[in-house]
């Protein structure tokens, strides 16, 4: 009994020492920058995360009011398309897949607008998620699509835009800034409303 009483202060001191050690370790580790995040190369602000670089690297989800991440993807005919090719135009990115029933329901509306109003200052890019060229071509032929259908074969662009559901549509204005993010089927009134917000009159 006497031994237990004498050992109590020692255990208490040991416990306090462990807590203090853990706290000091946390403080020290918190002082080191996370090298996995992109940072400005300016020595004066080397610890500041560059939002543009973080978005482009896919580490941060793009949001309304932020620049749209650049990408380069082939279409079903093998021709490469880059987002910067459409600089100065309004661009609607539509992320979809052949197995996605809502995508199938939405596609005729996009094709209609692609034929009627796209091609000038408004462009629709249909970006397929990680399916083979043959699968996508079969869908394109079945639906009679004429708009550019791009192949995100490795899924990197979908990851870059943090796509969490299909279909998803992202509207980019003439300055390359995201102005709308729509998850799910987009209706004709919704599409027209989005276009009006970027100054495109129908």
């Amino acid at each position: 009994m006497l031994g237990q009483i004498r050992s109590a202060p020692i255990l208490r001191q040991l416990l306090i020492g462990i807590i203090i050690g853990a706290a000091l370790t946390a403080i020290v580790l918190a002082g080191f920058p996370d090298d996995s995040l992109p940072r400005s190369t300016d020595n004066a602000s080397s610890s500041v995360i560059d939002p543009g670089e973080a978005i482009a690297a896919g580490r941060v989800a793009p949001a309304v009011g932020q620049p749209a991440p650049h990408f380069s993807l082939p279409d079903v005919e093998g021709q490469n398309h880059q987002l910067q090719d459409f600089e100065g135009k309004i661009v609607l990115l539509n992320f979809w897949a052949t197995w996605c029933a809502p995508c199938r329901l939405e596609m005729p509306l996009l094709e209609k607008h692609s034929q009627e109003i796209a091609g000038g200052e408004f462009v629709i890019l249909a970006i397929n998620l990680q399916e083979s060229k043959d699968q996508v071509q079969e869908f394109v032929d079945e639906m009679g699509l004429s708009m550019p259908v791009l192949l995100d074969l490795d899924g990197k662009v979908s990851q870059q835009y943090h796509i969490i559901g299909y279909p998803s549509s992202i509207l980019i204005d003439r300055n390359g800034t995201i102005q709308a993010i729509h998850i799910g089927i987009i209706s004709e009134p919704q599409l027209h409303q989005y276009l009006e917000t970027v100054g495109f009159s129908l």
Side-chain angles (χ1 to χ4, degrees):
M1 185 70 174
L2 184 60
Q4 290 178 346
I5 294 173
R6 287 177 178 173
S7 64
I10 297 174
L11 290 175
R12 190 165 40 249
Q13 290 175 356
L14 181 61
L15 183 59
I16 292 171
I18 292 173
I19 293 172
I20 292 173
L24 288 173
T25 301
I27 292 170
V28 170
L29 291 177
F32 289 96
D34 183 355
D35 292 334
S36 66
L37 293 174
R39 298 177 183 275
S40 170
T41 56
D42 184 356
N43 291 332
S45 57
S46 59
S47 63
V48 178
I49 298 172
D50 185 325
E53 290 180 16
I55 292 170
R59 301 185 191 281
V60 177
V64 171
Q66 294 179 339
H70 289 295
F71 61 82
S72 179
L73 290 174
D75 61 22
V76 288
E77 296 176 354
Q79 181 179 350
N80 226 45
H81 297 263
Q82 300 182 65
L83 183 59
Q84 49 262 53
D85 293 341
F86 305 99
E87 197 170 327
K89 297 184 178 183
I90 298 166
V91 180
L92 181 72
L93 304 180
N94 179 256
F95 292 85
W96 65 283
T98 63
W99 44 261
C100 166
C103 300
R104 180 178 290 270
L105 292 173
E106 179 188 61
M107 203 60 76
L109 172 67
L110 299 180
E111 176 60 23
K112 171 190 170 185
H113 283 74
S114 178
Q115 290 182 5
E116 292 180 357
I117 61 176
E121 60 174 320
F122 173 54
V123 178
I124 299 176
L125 301 177
I127 302 176
N128 174 265
L129 173 69
Q130 289 181 289
E131 295 185 276
S132 71
K133 177 183 174 182
D134 291 340
Q135 283 177 292
V136 176
Q137 186 64 64
E138 183 179 346
F139 184 89
V140 167
D141 294 341
E142 178 189 347
M143 301 294 290
L145 303 181
S146 60
M147 60 184 160
V149 177
L150 311 185
L151 305 176
D152 187 13
L153 296 173
D154 56 11
K156 286 185 178 179
V157 175
S158 296
Q159 291 175 6
Q160 194 176 21
Y161 278 84
H162 286 241
I163 300 302
I164 60 173
Y166 295 89
S168 285
S169 296
I170 297 179
L171 186 68
I172 304 168
D173 67 18
R174 296 175 181 86
N175 298 316
T177 303
I178 296 174
Q179 293 298 339
I181 298 175
H182 186 97
I183 301 173
I185 296 177
I186 190 169
S187 68
E188 189 163 17
Q190 287 171 328
L191 178 56
H192 291 181
Q193 184 177 1
Y194 288 141
L195 290 173
E196 286 173 7
T197 64
V198 292
F200 187 88
S201 55
L202 299 168

